């Protein structure tokens, strides 16, 4: 099946979910025509260059031979074209060679990239995260010599955290960086699961690595952030000899076979400090948070790809007697098939809206007119980031699974391609802090940061949308159900704020899902209102209302039950040892 970039959906989402009047004030040159032109050009690249490589990348994958990693067939050429066309530098600061567009625009473009070829998109995605980290915390030398090369895409970035004994528990890492007596460091250790840690698609690779110095205190306070490049970067910007780190192997994975996931060995490698000693985790979190939002977009992207294939199949496959005659006898005419597809589409649009809104808030946190506006945007961005990452990647897996199911037995056969989307999607809930960690972050830090005031303000804004929906005849039921779901979220938040630590951790994941469901319903309600105002004669616009109604009836109606049962599991969890679950 040929992939088609969802340009109209993305343009509509950018217009409806954010704060267009504030963005227009901060980016006066970013008018509707410019947005459309950027989306169309990026969509053409995704459709024509990246999507055709997706299946071959899955089947043949990246290769490791004799200590050398080679990108999947066609990926290196595609990356060169990606860079030449300027897609790597969209939102970077013009001071470092970037185009200065919004984070939301970057996310919209990368959704199309990830949907066309998720394994490819991981490479520039991590480069974007490295750009953000060095922009905020890099030394003058790093900003002069390394950052512009990352912005241009001539070099790529890699994030190096995990060790065999230290996954999410970064306090357990053992990689060590010893001062070399000349202002630099010599770094030794092993890192695993390093996405695009080595390859042949770019001239150099900049590794951002967390490690300890010899006299560092134990735990996270002893972690610092270091930069090591595959080839030496001389003071005049030229590239010197090979640094003393290398890939030991690439992982054999469930999916994303086109992405080389490396085991990296650092053997007294030349490195330099990024930021301050002992602040490595805080500095790395800049990179991780950027990657978390991008991974949320990956969830949207792979869901979009799976949905498109399922929708196409439903219009080509004939089985049984269809109920709806407009489907020409194909399975799209079966009510449950159509319900499944519409709910897939509704969840995608909700997740897309959450991710793009989080990007808009990042933009406003940087450029809004007043200190208060910037602070409010930052607080809401931080609240929504774990939701954008976790809820959207769960949606990616759920929609990809529904895509396999809709194909029937054909979906379980690799040749149809539906299984690849499911396999590729499954890593995203694990990447950049598992979704359970995102839930703990939401309920333990982001919700409690100011006594719940940020969520309370968001609920108030969502309630205003619910009122507008109830005043629109065809959307009144959506408004009532959204209002009830908002009230349920507020009850759940009150319980979480009053809970002890164990109870809060026990309810973290269902609380995040509830929050995502409700915010997603709000996004769909806003889109339905915008579509109704734009005119009801266009079937595409009419479908926005239908999607909001279906989502409200099948998702928002569950919110009250989830909220009411949220605090009831902690005791049962505490009282159930592992042997009680064994057969």
């Amino acid at each position: 099946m040929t992939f088609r970039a969802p340009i109209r959906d993305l343009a509509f989402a950018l217009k409806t979910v954010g704060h267009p009047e504030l963005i227009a004030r901060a980016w006066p040159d970013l008018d509707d025509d410019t947005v459309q032109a950027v989306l169309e050009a990026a969509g053409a690249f995704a459709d024509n260059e990246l999507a055709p490589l997706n299946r071959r990348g899955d089947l043949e994958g990246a290769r490791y031979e004799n200590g050398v990693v080679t990108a999947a067939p066609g990926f290196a050429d595609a990356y060169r074209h990606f860079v030449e066309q300027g897609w790597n530098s969209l939102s970077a600061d013009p001071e470092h060679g970037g185009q200065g567009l919004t984070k939301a625009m970057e996310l919209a473009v990368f959704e199309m990239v990830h949907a066309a070829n998720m394994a490819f998109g991981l490479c520039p995605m991590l480069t974007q995260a490295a750009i953000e980290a060095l922009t905020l915390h890099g030394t003058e030398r790093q900003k002069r010599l390394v950052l512009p090369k990352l912005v241009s895409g001539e070099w790529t970035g890699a994030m190096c955290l995990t060790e065999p004994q230290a996954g999410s528990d970064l306090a357990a890492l053992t990689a060590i960086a010893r001062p070399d007596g000349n202002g630099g460091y010599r770094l030794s250790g092993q890192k695993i699961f390093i996405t695009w840690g080595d390859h042949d698609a770019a001239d150099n690779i900049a590794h951002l690595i967390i490690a300890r110095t010899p006299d560092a205190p134990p735990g996270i306070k002893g972690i610092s952030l270091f930069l090591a490049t595959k080839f030496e970067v001389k003071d005049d910007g030229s590239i010197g000899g090979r640094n003393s780190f290398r890939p030991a192997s690439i992982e054999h994975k469930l999916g994303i076979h086109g992405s080389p996931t490396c085991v990296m060995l650092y053997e007294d490698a030349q490195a330099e400090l990024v930021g301050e000693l002992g602040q490595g985790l805080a500095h790395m979190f800049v990179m991780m948070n950027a990657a978390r939002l991008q991974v949320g977009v990956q969830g949207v992207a792979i869901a979009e790809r799976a949905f498109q294939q399922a929708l196409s199949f439903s219009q080509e496959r004939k089985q049984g007697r269809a109920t709806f005659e407009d489907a020409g006898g194909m399975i799209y005419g079966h009510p449950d098939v159509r319900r499944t597809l519409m709910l897939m589409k509704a969840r995608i649009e909700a997740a897309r809206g959450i991710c793009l809104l989080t990007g808009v808030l990042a933009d406003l946190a940087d450029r809004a007119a007043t200190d208060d506006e910037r602070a409010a945007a930052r607080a809401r961005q931080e609240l929504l980031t774990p939701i954008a990452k976790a809820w959207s990647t769960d949606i990616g897996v759920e929609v990809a699974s529904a895509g396999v199911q809709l194909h029937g037995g054909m979906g379980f056969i690799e040749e149809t391609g539906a299984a690849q989307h499911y396999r590729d999607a499954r890593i995203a809930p694990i990447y950049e802090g598992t979704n359970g960690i995102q839930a703990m972050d939401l309920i333990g830090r982001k919700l409690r940061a100011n006594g719940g005031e940020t969520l309370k303000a968001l609920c108030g804004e969502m309630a205003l949308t619910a009122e507008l929906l109830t005043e629109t005849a065809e959307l009144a039921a959506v408004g009532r159900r959204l209002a009830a779901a908002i009230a349920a979220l507020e009850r759940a938040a009150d319980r979480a704020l009053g809970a002890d630590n164990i109870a809060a951790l026990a309810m973290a994941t269902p609380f995040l899902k509830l929050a995502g469901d409700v915010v997603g319903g709000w996004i769909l309600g806003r889109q339905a209102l915008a579509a109704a105002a734009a005119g009801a004669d266009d079937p595409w616009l009419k479908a926005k209302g239908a999607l909001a109604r279906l989502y409200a009836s099948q998702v928002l109606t569950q919110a009250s039950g989830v909220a009411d049962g949220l605090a009831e599991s902690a005791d049962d969890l505490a009282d159930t040892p592992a042997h009680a679950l064994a057969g």
Side-chain angles (χ1 to χ4, degrees), residues 1 302-312 340-342 344-345 348 399 403 421:
M1 187 210 115
I302 203 69
E304 174 68 32
R305 185 69 184 266
F307 165 76
Q308 286 194 21
Q309 179 156 341
L311 179 63
S312 178
T340 298
L341 285 162
M342 289 179 65
M344 291 165 73
K345 180 70 170 179
I348 291 166
V399 169
H421 307 322

Side-chain angles (χ1 to χ4, degrees), residues 131-337:
I131 288 169
E132 294 204 21
L134 290 183
T135 298
L136 284 177
H137 299 299
T139 65
E140 288 306 312
R141 182 180 189 277
Q142 291 158 4
K143 290 180 180 179
R144 176 172 58 88
L145 299 177
V146 179
L147 187 53
K149 295 292 189 180
L150 292 174
V151 169
S152 71
E154 295 170 77
W155 300 353
T156 64
M159 179 165 50
C160 308
L161 288 79
T162 306
E163 299 179 6
Q165 80 293 340
S168 299
D169 182 12
L170 296 177
L173 67 86
T174 59
I176 190 162
R178 295 180 174 85
D180 65 3
N182 297 312
Y185 292 82
R186 290 289 176 174
L187 193 148
S188 298
Q190 179 184 16
K191 297 290 183 178
I192 62 173
F193 305 156
I194 308 306
T195 302
W196 285 86
D198 195 63
H199 58 84
D200 62 341
D203 295 336
N204 206 352
I205 306 171
H207 282 213
L208 286 166
I209 311 158
I210 52 173
R212 301 183 182 283
T213 52
D215 57 350
I220 61 174
K221 293 182 179 180
I223 296 173
S224 298
L225 180 61
F226 298 89
L227 169 69
T229 53
K230 182 176 179 178
F231 295 97
E232 177 191 3
V233 182
K234 298 181 179 180
D235 287 339
D236 63 359
S238 62
I239 291 179
R242 177 73 184 261
N243 205 348
S244 52
F245 65 82
R246 58 186 173 87
S249 64
I250 58 175
E251 306 288 359
H252 302 283
K253 309 185 294 291
L254 177 68
I256 55 168
H257 296 151
S259 169
T261 305
C262 301
V263 175
M264 298 298 306
L265 300 179
Y266 302 87
E267 300 162 318
D268 213 28
Q270 182 180 1
E272 51 192 85
L273 181 68
V274 177
E276 301 177 27
L277 281 172
Q279 296 298 310
L281 200 58
H283 298 338
M284 181 60 85
F285 262 109
V286 174
M287 193 173 186
M288 288 179 68
N289 280 331
R292 283 172 176 172
L293 184 50
Q294 279 270 10
V295 170
V297 171
Q298 280 185 340
V300 180
I302 203 69
E304 174 68 32
R305 185 69 184 266
F307 165 76
Q308 286 194 21
Q309 179 156 341
L311 179 63
S312 178
F313 182 81
S314 76
Q315 297 170 85
E316 300 166 355
R317 179 71 167 174
K318 188 172 185 178
Q319 290 281 289
R321 292 186 60 185
T323 300
F324 299 129
E325 296 180 357
D326 62 351
M330 303 302 166
I331 63 171
Y332 187 69
H334 292 292
D336 192 59
V337 169

Side-chain angles (χ1 to χ4, degrees), residues 323-398:
T323 300
F324 299 129
E325 296 180 357
D326 62 351
M330 303 302 166
I331 63 171
Y332 187 69
H334 292 292
D336 192 59
V337 169
R338 192 169 298 192
R339 180 200 63 82
T340 298
L341 285 162
M342 289 179 65
L343 197 54
M344 291 165 73
K345 180 70 170 179
R347 292 185 188 278
I348 291 166
E349 295 203 349
R352 174 181 290 129
I354 291 173
C355 289
L356 291 180
L357 173 58
T358 307
V360 168
L361 292 167
D363 291 324
L364 294 177
D366 182 45
R367 285 209 200 179
T370 68
D371 290 344
D372 288 345
E373 287 177 339
R374 290 192 293 272
R378 177 68 67 195
R380 187 171 291 187
Q381 175 206 351
E382 291 175 350
L383 177 75
L384 288 181
T385 293
I387 300 171
K389 191 278 176 180
W391 194 80
S392 300
T393 55
D394 283 342
I395 292 300
V397 174
E398 183 177 339

Side-chain angles (χ1 to χ4, degrees), residues 12 16-17 342-343 345-351 353-354 391 465 469 475 478 482 517-531 543-552 555-556:
F12 189 75
T16 56
V17 305
M342 289 179 65
L343 197 54
K345 180 70 170 179
R347 292 185 188 278
I348 291 166
E349 295 203 349
I354 291 173
W391 194 80
T465 300
L469 288 162
L475 299 172
V478 177
L482 177 59
D517 286 348
V518 176
V519 176
W522 172 56
I523 294 289
L524 292 173
R526 291 176 65 170
Q527 292 200 352
L529 285 170
K544 301 298 181 186
L547 295 175
R549 287 189 290 271
L550 181 67
Y551 185 96
V555 178
L556 292 182

